[in-house]
Amino acid sequence: MSEQLENNKSLNFIESIIEEDIKAGKNESRVHTRFPPEPNGYLHIGHAKSICLNFSMAKKYNGKCNLRFDDTNPVKEDVEYVDSIMEDIKWLGFEWDGEPLYSSDYFEQLYDWAVKMIKNAKAYIDDQTSDEIASQKGTPTVPGQESPFRSRSVDENLDLFNRMKSGEFKEGEKILRAKGDMASPNMHMRDPIMYRIIHNEHHRTGNKWCIYPMYDFTHGQSDYIEGITHSLCTLEFENHRPLYNWYLDQLTDTDYRPVQTEFARLNLSYTVMSKRKLLQLVEDKLVNGWDDPRMPTISGMRRRGYTADSIKAFADKIGVAKRENVIDVSLLEFCVREDLNKKADRLMTVLDPVKLIIVNYPEEKEEMVSVDNNPEDETRGKREMPFSREIYIERNDFMEDAPKKFFRLSIDKEVRLKGAYIIKGENLVKDADGNITEIHCTYDVDSKSGSGTEASQRKVKGTLHWVSAKHAVPVQVRQYDRLFNNEDPASQEDFKTSLNPDSLTIVENCMAEPAIVNLKSLDTVQFQRQGYFCVDIDSTSEKMIFNRTVTLKDGWSKVINKK
Ligand code: ATP
Ligand code: MG
């Protein structure tokens, strides 16, 4: 008993429901879920939560998970979105059962079901405008008014519906409504619309149809057709559930029934997650497309260097519950950092280079030094880096009038060049404006890392990354900050006023060690002491471009704590 309690405790509420259903033998104890995106935009991190939930429930309970495109609105849908959705799900590492499915494959069946409802006097054609219909809706506490067309005969309704289908009417001229209950406290039950006329080519059915079923008249039926057992959706559909069940009651008479269960959607701070808003950012060119690395889309995150594992770990950490909340985006960044720390090889790249000359190092000499690819993972081995008399270091790793606690380079102070020698600041060369153009140093000839000499063991306070100047590869680095500087941009009258004008900074001529040329598109590395960076998809061998995936530490939590 106690063991069972223990087990139940670790289940989320959906797992508890599924396990009870299996035990009770409901729907032959099958588990069949589905992920039902509307192909009207790219998937975002909220969808990833739903994908992880649906696919992982199927996996955990030896069931199946379908991919079903909920494509009932030809105006907004497009094959570009269908393709991107499939790519994103596969990239996350999930496999749907069989072929991708489409609600539009069920148009014929849905039409027949609509006819059945008309014949059973459960549906009628309404000639009113949408404004008139809206004005009769009532409020949750005030019953609505019945449409004057509600009492049309079955024959007239059948005839009109057929003529709607054959394209005789203009959009908005007629709709098919269910005979629900205009006094129901649930507004969705007040004669909901089943079909509307849309004269628009559909991405799959072309011009075959000019009447299209509404979401509510499609979703439950599609679940039913596919043998779905657990239809998991977000809380905003809770009020639709009675309608979901009512349609199935009208149309089917089997013991088998899909059951809708709602969970809280993912809300993430500092971003927006409505596809409508994301589309606006794309269309108004406020970002560079759906896969802009600042976007909360899966394709944007992929391009930025987030791994599928880190997104899945994030989904796991936030869990599923019934209550809405807002997750801090820094939790997602934490998951990315944690995963990349294990996976990403290290490279040295100087983002803001200043030249450093080691005056006692022979002018023509070059040598190789050996550095770890990943100190967290010995199996990643070591690589060789060229060292020479002239190198680049970060401008802010040197300070002329350094305070005591400055553990980087200064005149008369020593630091170690990572994997190489200890150097000491000697002199500076400045331009007419007083900017440092060269730092002159001397090096301790015996201090080479790993050489086994006493001097190689010598401890100095700071260690700097560096790149040999004549071997350096100039690269472009794109630094990202949050796309919005408001925690809840959607709460603003116009969410676009919260856009952060400094969300993208492009830095040219960052100096990378030569091994960088071995990286391929979308490879992620750690630039030591700087953060994780990913090769952008537009990067070429002539001009390498890097996106900063995430910094090494959560710089924001410090800022937030200071407030
Ligand atoms: P949006 O509101 O962003 O336009 P949507 O709900 O209209 O999204 P769909 O394509 O209909 O997008 O969503 C497919 C599935 O993903 C649905 O089951 C939906 O409940 C789920 N989903 C959408 N947004 C989130 C979210 N933020 N968190 C969890 N699940 C979500
Ligand atoms: Mg939707």
Side-chain angles (χ1 to χ4, degrees):
M1 178 69 196
S2 74
E3 192 186 324
Q4 202 178 353
L5 270 179
E6 209 52 61
N7 280 341
N8 281 343
K9 241 191 187 166
S10 59
L11 297 180
N12 67 44
F13 82 98
I14 289 178
E15 291 169 324
S16 302
I17 291 172
I18 293 179
E19 294 199 3
E20 272 163 35
D21 289 346
I22 292 173
K23 233 191 287 166
K26 194 167 183 169
N27 295 330
E28 299 130 359
S29 295
R30 289 184 304 113
V31 174
H32 200 155
T33 58
R34 84 287 168 270
F35 175 65
E38 183 180 355
N40 62 350
Y42 281 58
L43 296 181
H44 53 59
I45 182 77
H47 294 115
K49 172 178 177 172
S50 175
I51 291 169
C52 290
L53 176 65
N54 279 293
F55 283 94
S56 66
M57 288 305 96
K59 184 159 187 218
K60 177 166 181 182
Y61 297 106
N62 292 316
K64 295 173 177 173
C65 180
N66 290 357
L67 168 62
R68 181 203 313 143
F69 290 101
D70 193 6
D71 55 348
T72 55
N73 183 355
V75 181
K76 293 186 176 162
E77 294 157 6
D78 199 280
V79 274
E80 177 196 347
Y81 300 134
V82 170
D83 293 342
S84 76
I85 287 169
M86 293 198 283
E87 187 186 351
D88 288 349
I89 298 172
K90 282 192 222 156
W91 177 75
L92 281 172
F94 296 109
E95 240 176 274
W96 50 87
D97 186 60
E99 293 295 312
L101 303 170
Y102 297 83
S103 296
S104 56
D105 289 341
Y106 314 139
F107 280 171
E108 206 70 54
Q109 169 73 75
L110 291 167
Y111 178 81
D112 290 345
W113 269 331
V115 168
K116 178 174 175 172
M117 286 197 40
I118 296 173
K119 284 184 177 160
N120 290 339
K122 290 288 183 189
Y124 64 97
I125 306 290
D126 198 333
D127 295 357
Q128 299 183 100
T129 64
S130 55
D131 285 346
E132 282 166 331
I133 291 170
S135 73
Q136 296 159 356
K137 255 226 130 157
T139 69
T141 48
V142 177
Q145 290 158 253
E146 294 191 348
S147 161
F149 298 95
R150 205 174 196 259
S151 48
R152 270 183 162 147
S153 72
V154 167
D155 284 344
E156 189 183 2
N157 281 320
L158 283 176
D159 175 56
L160 287 172
F161 191 46
N162 190 35
R163 286 161 59 193
M164 266 170 77
K165 181 187 175 220
S166 35
E168 202 173 300
F169 305 113
K170 290 201 282 291
E171 288 183 15
E173 235 180 313
K174 297 210 173 342
I175 54 165
L176 179 69
R177 293 176 78 179
K179 266 190 208 176
D181 173 4
M182 289 305 289
S184 170
N186 184 329
M187 304 289 284
H188 295 288
M189 297 302 294
R190 295 186 184 176
D191 289 12
I193 297 171
M194 293 165 60
Y195 267 89
R196 72 265 204 233
I197 298 168
I198 303 178
H199 291 287
N200 204 316
E201 193 169 300
H202 185 279
H203 72 110
R204 300 197 84 228
T205 57
N207 292 308
K208 174 155 189 234
W209 296 89
C210 61
I211 52 169
Y212 289 91
M214 299 297 289
Y215 170 86
D216 284 318
F217 193 70
T218 309
H219 202 81
Q221 288 92 316
S222 302
D223 284 344
Y224 182 85
I225 292 167
E226 293 176 14
I228 300 303
T229 56
H230 297 84
S231 184
L232 311 175
C233 63
T234 35
L235 281 176
E236 68 269 25
F237 293 104
E238 197 166 16
N239 290 334
H240 295 241
R241 185 168 8 114
L243 184 55
Y244 178 106
N245 292 330
W246 186 75
Y247 279 137
L248 290 178
D249 289 343
Q250 302 307 312
L251 301 172
T252 69
D253 50 13
T254 53
D255 287 338
Y256 151 68
R257 266 308 155 83
V259 176
Q260 175 181 309
T261 304
E262 309 84 18
F263 62 95
R265 67 198 289 114
L266 166 66
N267 301 305
L268 204 58
S269 63
Y270 293 100
T271 193
V272 293
M273 254 190 301
S274 122
K275 281 188 279 190
R276 195 177 48 79
K277 292 198 172 76
L278 296 175
L279 177 64
Q280 227 176 310
L281 293 177
V282 173
E283 284 185 337
D284 295 355
K285 299 211 170 358
L286 297 167
V287 293
N288 302 314
W290 284 97
D291 67 348
D292 185 302
R294 292 166 292 180
M295 290 280 269
T297 52
I298 296 179
S299 51
M301 291 180 176
R302 173 169 63 236
R303 182 167 182 179
R304 182 153 173 174
Y306 286 23
T307 57
D309 282 345
S310 60
I311 292 174
K312 286 189 274 192
F314 171 72
D316 206 44
K317 271 201 167 61
I318 58 175
V320 279
K322 266 277 188 208
R323 202 161 37 88
E324 287 272 355
N325 63 352
V326 181
I327 304 288
D328 197 318
V329 67
S330 60
L331 180 65
L332 175 60
E333 290 163 354
F334 168 84
C335 294
V336 173
R337 219 175 262 129
E338 210 179 39
D339 193 42
L340 289 178
N341 183 39
K342 286 176 276 171
K343 289 181 183 159
D345 280 351
R346 275 55 169 169
L347 277 184
M348 294 198 213
T349 300
V350 178
L351 300 185
D352 182 15
V354 62
K355 174 102 38 105
L356 185 152
I357 300 175
I358 302 163
V359 292
N360 60 337
Y361 193 91
E363 256 175 59
E364 297 309 320
K365 187 173 170 181
E366 283 177 33
E367 65 185 299
M368 300 306 272
V369 304
S370 181
V371 284
D372 284 330
N373 281 326
N374 186 348
E376 301 286 319
D377 180 1
E378 258 181 41
T379 66
R380 295 299 304 158
K382 289 176 178 290
R383 72 180 183 286
E384 302 274 293
M385 259 182 93
F387 185 83
S388 65
R389 178 181 158 96
E390 296 193 5
I391 63 173
Y392 292 114
I393 65 163
E394 296 290 345
R395 196 165 274 281
N396 68 5
D397 274 341
F398 178 86
M399 217 170 157
E400 202 173 352
D401 298 309
K404 246 192 143 92
K405 285 262 156 78
F406 186 76
F407 295 134
R408 289 167 273 170
L409 188 62
S410 192
I411 300 297
D412 284 336
K413 274 182 68 177
E414 285 188 320
V415 291
R416 177 170 290 283
L417 296 173
K418 175 96 186 149
Y421 296 95
I422 293 175
I423 55 168
K424 184 167 142 200
E426 304 284 353
N427 269 311
L428 295 178
V429 179
K430 294 184 183 176
D431 64 14
D433 299 327
N435 300 312
I436 298 173
T437 51
E438 283 176 12
I439 302 167
H440 290 186
C441 291
T442 51
Y443 82 122
D444 176 347
V445 188
D446 293 325
S447 64
K448 188 172 180 180
S449 293
S451 64
T453 62
E454 213 170 289
S456 73
Q457 312 284 342
R458 200 148 67 77
K459 292 270 177 285
V460 286
K461 283 265 163 60
T463 302
L464 308 185
H465 63 282
W466 55 274
V467 170
S468 164
K470 75 171 139 190
H471 302 94
V473 180
V475 300
Q476 185 195 82
V477 167
R478 298 175 182 175
Q479 316 244 39
Y480 297 103
D481 200 342
R482 292 190 173 151
L483 184 54
F484 295 95
N485 44 30
N486 184 305
E487 217 167 310
D488 183 11
S491 69
Q492 305 296 301
E493 199 175 318
D494 176 4
F495 74 102
K496 297 193 295 299
T497 56
S498 302
L499 278 166
N500 174 8
D502 302 319
S503 59
L504 168 62
T505 313
I506 297 182
V507 190
E508 298 288 356
N509 291 320
C510 301
M511 292 297 174
E513 64 168 280
I516 203 153
V517 302
N518 300 324
L519 297 176
K520 301 182 303 296
S521 186
L522 293 181
D523 279 350
T524 306
V525 285
Q526 185 192 101
F527 289 168
Q528 286 195 298
R529 298 176 65 228
Q530 297 291 3
Y532 295 96
F533 292 79
C534 176
V535 183
D536 188 70
I537 52 178
D538 288 340
S539 182
T540 64
S541 50
E542 282 76 46
K543 175 157 190 165
M544 293 193 84
I545 302 171
F546 286 81
N547 295 312
R548 185 171 72 194
T549 309
V550 67
T551 54
L552 286 182
K553 289 206 190 79
D554 181 1
W556 280 83
S557 67
K558 271 184 252 146
V559 174
I560 290 162
N561 288 341
K562 261 195 232 152
K563 275 189 199 156

